Amino acid sequence: MTQNSHQTLGEFIIENQEDFIYSTGELSRLLSSIKLATKIVNYKVNKAGLVNILGEYGNENVQGEKQQKLDVFANETFIETLSQREVVCGIASEENEDFIEIKANRNQVNSKYVVLIDPLDGSSNIDVNVSVGTIFSIYRRVSEPGTPVTLEDFLQPGNKQVAAGYVVYGTSTMLVYTTGNGVNGFTLNPGIGTFYLSHPNLRIPGDGSIYSVNEGNYVKFPQGVKNFIKYCQTEEDNRPYTSRYIGSLCSDFHRNMLKGGIYLYPSGTNNPQGKLRLLYECNPMAYIAEQAGGKASDGYRRILDINPKELHQRVPFFCGSKNLVEKAEEFMAQNPE
């Protein structure tokens, strides 16, 4: 794999498409479509304080969460961009109640891929100029090409993903993705609008000294999570660990991947099954984590082995450095719910 800081994302996709077992060029075009939508959203995010796109949109999404104006813009941008490029047969978004069948023209009848997306992760941070992101997940459809896309095409376990990635719209904009052959990160040069390979072959340290969790929910956490947090805070060996929590999954995950740490969003909060969505957030991040040498769990089992039952299913999420996730699982096993 070329490790050239001057290599663009487009060049990298083309050069490495032979590593992908379904090397037809269709996945490369799909990733290029995501790249284009990312740049459009990035442009709006960076102008958010200068144009009328801050604040609430006035509606709630299917999750019962208040939509921000940028939520709506990002959702529409990704759907429109993916729909017009003749590369997908269906899209499911965290912002939409049902999946969208793409049947724009006859060239898309035989499209093999469906995309699941969280268009703007961490959108509650938009108005205070804190990093937000995008998360995406790609599967090959299981229904027959040429027939209407079905719910079953989207309700696949995460171990069936063919690609997944995220974007952090931060001090610099980074796109990180995997097609099952390691994880690579690309940084946007805003002057010319091009992503360049900046973080080749990303690996999550096996250990870490950061734990990321909303401790404001501590009293509602399962006992196993409480015990794990106390373990992180105990003065012993290389502990206590450092607590860092942004409230944007992309940002928290990205920091922990680079520095080593664990992200937790357990059950026992205001959301009994956890807040994060299995299909739009947990599966893609789990796939990236495993490809980078990390681990992802619901506290008891591998995230990627969970068979989803509905589009907006929520699950507890423990993800990051392998040894830290396994330590959290030990505490959960000692205090099963």
Side-chain angles (χ1 to χ4, degrees):
M1 186 175 294
T2 301
Q3 296 189 7
N4 179 358
S5 62
H6 298 292
Q7 188 176 33
T8 68
L9 174 56
E11 291 168 345
F12 183 89
I13 290 171
I14 293 170
E15 180 177 311
N16 291 277
Q17 65 181 348
E18 67 270 12
D19 293 336
F20 183 63
I21 59 173
Y22 306 112
S23 183
T24 63
E26 191 174 4
L27 180 68
S28 297
R29 296 199 306 274
L30 173 48
L31 290 170
S32 294
S33 297
I34 291 173
K35 176 184 70 174
L36 174 61
T38 291
K39 289 194 283 189
I40 296 171
V41 172
N42 176 72
Y43 177 74
K44 280 290 188 182
V45 168
N46 287 341
K47 289 180 62 179
L50 302 175
V51 297
N52 184 30
I53 201 160
L54 288 175
E56 294 180 3
Y57 184 70
N59 294 332
E60 291 185 349
N61 64 12
V62 65
Q63 319 292 339
E65 300 162 342
K66 291 187 181 299
Q67 286 183 307
Q68 304 291 314
K69 292 177 182 177
L70 268 173
D71 275 322
V72 177
F73 175 82
N75 191 44
E76 292 175 349
T77 297
F78 276 97
I79 290 173
E80 182 178 356
T81 304
L82 289 167
S83 299
Q84 293 181 349
R85 298 291 287 271
E86 303 177 3
V87 289
V88 297
C89 57
I91 302 169
S93 168
E94 183 182 298
E95 298 295 325
N96 294 57
E97 183 172 0
D98 206 353
F99 64 85
I100 300 168
E101 181 185 356
I102 307 301
K103 46 184 179 182
N105 57 59
R106 65 182 183 180
N107 293 329
Q108 284 173 274
V109 168
N110 293 314
S111 294
K112 306 178 187 70
Y113 298 103
V114 296
V115 175
L116 296 100
I117 193 160
D118 179 356
L120 206 66
D121 169 68
S123 58
S124 61
N125 287 322
I126 292 169
D127 289 353
V128 292
N129 201 25
V130 172
S131 296
V132 293
T134 293
I135 307 172
F136 63 89
S137 177
I138 302 171
Y139 294 80
R140 281 176 66 90
R141 66 183 299 176
V142 293
S143 58
E144 188 69 28
T147 64
V149 68
T150 68
L151 180 61
E152 286 66 34
D153 292 317
F154 298 93
L155 297 184
Q156 300 186 57
N159 55 39
K160 299 296 185 181
Q161 290 174 100
V162 298
Y166 65 87
V167 183
V168 177
Y169 307 104
T171 49
S172 59
T173 295
M174 277 195 66
L175 188 154
V176 177
Y177 85 99
T178 181
T179 56
N181 290 284
V183 180
N184 292 277
F186 300 80
T187 299
L188 180 67
N189 181 334
I192 57 177
T194 301
F195 282 99
Y196 287 95
L197 178 63
S198 56
H199 294 70
N201 194 28
L202 281 165
R203 302 293 294 175
I204 300 176
D207 286 299
S209 60
I210 298 171
Y211 68 100
S212 306
V213 62
N214 183 356
E215 292 185 72
N217 292 319
Y218 181 86
V219 295
K220 300 178 182 178
F221 286 160
Q223 190 60 46
V225 174
K226 291 180 179 178
N227 292 347
F228 175 70
I229 292 174
K230 289 302 182 186
Y231 166 84
C232 293
Q233 297 171 341
T234 300
E235 291 191 55
E236 185 177 340
D237 298 326
N238 62 334
R239 291 174 279 133
Y241 296 149
T242 300
S243 175
R244 292 285 185 268
Y245 185 72
I246 298 169
S248 168
L249 173 60
C250 285
S251 300
D252 282 310
F253 177 91
H254 186 67
R255 179 198 51 240
N256 291 349
M257 179 161 69
L258 296 179
K259 295 182 177 295
I262 182 172
Y263 176 93
L264 307 90
Y265 209 112
S267 60
T269 65
N270 293 330
N271 302 284
Q273 299 304 314
K275 183 181 181 182
L276 299 183
R277 269 62 58 157
L278 174 62
L279 295 178
Y280 308 107
E281 295 161 317
C282 301
N283 272 342
M285 289 309 205
Y287 189 41
I288 294 166
E290 289 196 5
Q291 283 294 313
K295 187 170 184 176
S297 167
D298 69 351
Y300 303 98
R301 54 183 172 164
R302 183 185 183 215
I303 286 289
L304 296 182
D305 289 339
I306 298 174
N307 288 308
K309 305 299 183 187
E310 56 187 50
L311 277 178
H312 300 286
Q313 181 175 338
R314 302 174 192 254
V315 294
F317 194 52
F318 301 71
C319 185
S321 295
K322 186 173 185 287
N323 294 339
L324 284 178
V325 174
E326 289 180 349
K327 177 60 70 174
E329 288 179 318
E330 286 180 23
F331 282 104
M332 295 298 289
Q334 291 167 10
N335 296 273
E337 293 182 278

